[in-house]
Amino acid sequence: MNRRNMLWSAISALGAALGASSAKAASEATPSSKLKVAYHLSDAEKVNFVLGSIQNHIDGVGGPEHVTIALVIHGPALKAFHAAQANLDLSKRIGEFSKDGVELAACGNTMKAQNVTLKELLPGFVSAEKGGVVRLAELQSQGYLYLRP
């Protein structure tokens, strides 16, 4: 019985040591392991909410250098980012995101449907030529976490 207790204690101690080592490794993020997040926006009524969520995300991790964010926009939400229709606050926020390195991808299919070019969108946008949903799938295959607030 005594041997059994000693063996069990040794196995438990080994398991605890391995668990502590794994926890320490997980908590020590390296620059190459910074979180990558793809935000999906298609609902026009959620534009301000999603932009606020992205800003909260950047602030929550301690700044844009601690996270890689892509915002993929398609459908009715893209109209809010037409330069001619965008309000001053939205233009300023998008400009800050662009400076912070946020990828701003506009769905190529939606751009065609809305008869708008990249030049007519707020500065900083790139075209997701194959479509917004294709770009989201590409980002996910590259390890981005998917968020649709």
Side-chain angles (χ1 to χ4, degrees):
M1 252 272 239
N2 200 10
R3 285 184 191 168
R4 198 177 304 161
N5 287 340
M6 287 176 31
L7 179 61
W8 183 249
S9 294
I11 291 172
S12 296
L14 179 62
L18 290 174
S21 175
S22 296
K24 182 179 178 188
S27 68
E28 292 176 352
T30 60
S32 63
S33 68
K34 71 179 182 177
L35 203 57
K36 298 185 299 185
V37 183
Y39 280 84
H40 179 182
L41 174 60
S42 62
D43 301 322
E45 65 275 2
K46 291 186 177 181
V47 168
N48 287 323
F49 178 75
V50 171
L51 296 182
S53 293
I54 291 172
Q55 187 61 58
N56 290 341
H57 198 144
I58 291 170
D59 294 343
V61 298
E65 64 276 7
H66 299 290
V67 65
T68 301
I69 295 178
L71 171 60
V72 180
I73 303 166
H74 69 100
L78 188 63
K79 287 186 179 183
F81 301 93
H82 292 199
Q85 297 175 0
N87 66 45
L88 186 59
D89 179 57
L90 184 97
S91 298
K92 182 181 174 190
R93 291 169 94 176
I94 291 300
E96 290 298 318
F97 287 160
S98 185
K99 287 178 192 172
D100 287 345
V102 174
E103 176 188 318
L104 304 166
C107 173
N109 297 324
T110 301
M111 289 172 56
K112 287 176 192 168
Q114 293 179 4
N115 197 27
V116 65
T117 65
L118 277 178
K119 291 180 182 180
E120 296 170 294
L121 295 176
L122 292 172
F125 274 89
V126 297
S127 176
E129 291 294 327
K130 297 176 188 173
V133 294
V134 172
R135 182 64 186 140
L136 286 165
E138 290 170 348
L139 290 166
Q140 288 178 33
S141 74
Q142 296 167 17
Y144 279 71
L145 299 174
Y146 171 82
L147 294 177
R148 185 169 185 180

